[in-house]
Amino acid sequence: MASRSDALELAVLGLLHEAPMHGYELRKRLGAALGPFRALSYGTLYPSLRRLSERGWITESEQSDDAARAASRRARIVYELTPAGQERFELLVRDAGPASWEDDSFDVRLAFFSRTAAEVRIRILEGRRARLEERLEQVSDVLARNRERADRYGLELQRHGLDSVQREVRWLNELISAERARPNADPPPAPHDSEA
Amino acid sequence: MASRSDALELAVLGLLHEAPMHGYELRKRLGAALGPFRALSYGTLYPSLRRLSERGWITESEQSDDAARAASRRARIVYELTPAGQERFELLVRDAGPASWEDDSFDVRLAFFSRTAAEVRIRILEGRRARLEERLEQVSDVLARNRERADRYGLELQRHGLDSVQREVRWLNELISAERARPNADPPPAPHDSEA
DNA sequence: TTCGTCATGTAATGGGTTACATGATTAC
DNA sequence: GTAATCATGTAACCCATTACATGACGAA
């Protein structure tokens, strides 16, 4: 349903799947992965972490043992994936439903493609491509109907929009070809050090 | 502040500046101008029209006179710009503040460039370009720092993002050159038929 | 007669942004 | 000493999406 918050959930779970982390760093990594613009605020991140914790997918533990404290600046809250959280992540990453190729989630899904099964990768890429081609069709319809009405700037705007979508389609084609070229490359879950 | 709703306000005022309209058509025109995807819902549009009406910028009048009713399907509510609303639109369209070149508003501003003064047009285009160049810098920073960590898909994602931004910068360069080439072309307000 | 489009709304829900509040540590 | 960065949160406000509710008209 709420695909924007689903995407955030996946992103957080995915990053914690690599290593335990505290909130501040989580936010930086999120920014680095999805583009530094579109940074989410703490007002979004912390409540979201709280929710994940309530559902039992992550644990919050105050980093207070000596070794850590010696090197650290301040008591930080380290979030760690629980086994249930790992399962949840693997469930999310296995899904290739329509939501996965919408604007809100596609980037995040791609960012975790290394942890995604090969067939799922292809289905998502193809779903995304189909979605964009649908868009292309709609835009040309509108363009055809508005030919007289539109002014110079409106046309320019739509031309550029069309162009961007076409380029994304071509980019997807390349990614899909690359996937097909090596249908193997289905890496193991790569669990982090502390098992259990 | 709320740049997304500011953009909606400008768009509605701008369309009504061309001709009085009812809600349903307003929505279609909005979709046609800004891309058929990103259509806004009635749950957004109607409350927004209500707000504009409360502030005295538009009037709602039930289309119920005979001539209209004969041709029409059902009593529709036609929204019309008030003189205060015209002033408001002209005020908004004169503004070239930082908000005008953010993602949320830039498209809408461009869509009404025909009603925008030539200097304002150039300032907005240049502001937008500067904004994107800032982005470019941030992305390359991140890219430089993540060179080892990133996997194939993350890199691909960022490459494509970078590429899109660079293309938009080039597109803006063309628009700016075109503006400079004919610094005249500052059309009159073009008021609609009924001169209140 | 049934489906698609025209047409107008309301209510609930969710959640994102912004501003606020606090304070430690590091680099200049 | 002071500015920037590290670090964690809360509260209020706004508003967008979604689902719901209703109904007329035109075409197949």
Side-chain angles (χ1 to χ4, degrees):
Chain A
M1 297 281 175
S3 62
R4 188 164 293 151
S5 63
D6 282 359
L8 179 56
E9 181 191 324
L10 174 62
V12 169
L13 256 27
L15 284 177
L16 293 181
H17 192 272
E18 286 162 22
M21 241 173 281
H22 56 273
Y24 191 86
E25 195 184 349
L26 216 30
R27 183 184 187 250
K28 271 198 309 179
R29 299 281 295 269
L30 244 32
L34 304 176
F37 46 101
R38 167 202 261 160
L40 84 165
S41 59
Y42 295 115
T44 305
L45 179 60
Y46 285 112
S48 157
L49 284 169
R50 186 60 48 90
R51 276 195 298 274
L52 293 178
S53 172
E54 276 160 13
R55 290 184 208 177
W57 294 330
I58 62 177
T59 56
E60 328 182 346
S61 61
E62 198 144 349
Q63 182 203 53
S64 53
D65 38 288
D66 347 273
R69 167 157 287 173
S72 101
R73 36 194 90 273
R74 168 191 176 174
R76 302 181 297 182
I77 293 171
V78 175
Y79 299 90
E80 191 163 358
L81 218 56
T82 63
Q86 291 206 21
E87 270 176 53
R88 174 69 180 169
F89 175 70
E90 269 137 39
L91 185 88
L92 289 174
V93 107
R94 227 178 292 134
D95 167 73
S100 59
W101 51 70
E102 290 303 316
D103 288 335
D104 284 337
S105 4
F106 177 71
D107 285 6
V108 179
R109 295 306 308 266
L110 225 194
F112 291 103
F113 257 23
S114 320
R115 306 257 170 282
T116 305
E119 341 89 69
V120 176
R121 289 201 293 255
I122 293 207
R123 254 187 294 152
I124 292 179
L125 291 170
E126 286 175 342
R128 177 72 180 165
R129 184 176 54 183
R131 183 79 186 80
L132 293 181
E133 269 158 0
E134 207 179 288
R135 232 126 97 166
L136 241 32
E137 223 178 298
Q138 293 176 322
V139 178
S140 6
D141 279 5
V142 171
L143 221 61
R145 231 174 295 141
N146 285 25
R147 190 152 300 173
E148 1 61 72
R149 175 160 48 194
D151 67 355
R152 169 180 160 60
Y153 298 103
L155 284 178
E156 207 50 58
L157 188 59
Q158 287 179 333
R159 221 187 36 69
H160 179 250
L162 206 68
D163 215 74
S164 300
V165 180
Q166 283 167 340
R167 294 197 92 254
E168 189 171 343
V169 169
R170 263 177 272 144
W171 176 64
L172 288 169
N173 283 334
E174 283 167 33
L175 290 181
I176 292 169
S177 309
E179 285 302 324
R180 293 208 200 287
R182 47 157 192 44
N184 45 326
D186 196 356
H192 53 81
D193 30 302
S194 75
E195 252 314 71
Chain B
M1 296 281 175
S3 59
R4 187 164 293 153
S5 65
D6 282 359
L8 178 56
E9 182 191 322
L10 173 62
V12 169
L13 258 25
L15 284 177
L16 293 180
H17 192 272
E18 285 162 22
M21 241 173 282
H22 56 273
Y24 190 85
E25 197 184 347
L26 217 31
R27 184 186 186 246
K28 272 198 310 180
R29 298 282 295 269
L30 244 32
L34 305 176
F37 47 99
R38 167 202 261 162
L40 85 165
S41 60
Y42 295 115
T44 307
L45 179 60
Y46 285 113
S48 157
L49 284 168
R50 188 59 47 91
R51 276 195 298 275
L52 293 178
S53 171
E54 276 161 13
R55 290 185 209 176
W57 294 329
I58 63 177
T59 57
E60 327 182 346
S61 59
E62 199 145 348
Q63 182 201 53
S64 54
D65 38 288
D66 345 276
R69 166 159 290 174
S72 101
R73 37 194 92 272
R74 168 189 178 175
R76 301 181 299 181
I77 294 172
V78 175
Y79 299 91
E80 191 164 357
L81 218 56
T82 62
Q86 291 207 20
E87 271 175 53
R88 175 69 180 168
F89 175 70
E90 269 137 38
L91 184 88
L92 289 175
V93 108
R94 226 178 291 136
D95 166 72
S100 59
W101 51 69
E102 289 303 316
D103 287 336
D104 284 337
S105 5
F106 177 71
D107 285 6
V108 180
R109 296 305 308 264
L110 224 194
F112 292 103
F113 257 24
S114 319
R115 308 255 170 283
T116 304
E119 340 89 69
V120 176
R121 289 201 292 256
I122 293 206
R123 251 187 296 153
I124 293 178
L125 291 171
E126 287 176 341
R128 177 73 181 163
R129 184 176 54 183
R131 184 77 186 79
L132 293 181
E133 271 159 358
E134 207 178 288
R135 232 126 94 169
L136 242 31
E137 222 177 299
Q138 292 176 323
V139 179
S140 9
D141 278 5
V142 171
L143 221 61
R145 231 172 295 142
N146 285 25
R147 190 150 301 174
E148 3 59 73
R149 174 161 49 195
D151 67 356
R152 169 179 160 60
Y153 298 103
L155 283 177
E156 208 49 59
L157 188 59
Q158 287 179 332
R159 222 187 36 69
H160 180 250
L162 206 69
D163 215 73
S164 301
V165 179
Q166 283 167 338
R167 293 196 93 254
E168 189 171 343
V169 169
R170 265 177 271 144
W171 176 63
L172 287 169
N173 283 334
E174 283 167 33
L175 290 180
I176 291 169
S177 309
E179 286 301 325
R180 292 208 200 288
R182 45 154 192 46
N184 43 326
D186 195 355
H192 53 81
D193 32 303
S194 75
E195 221 0 36

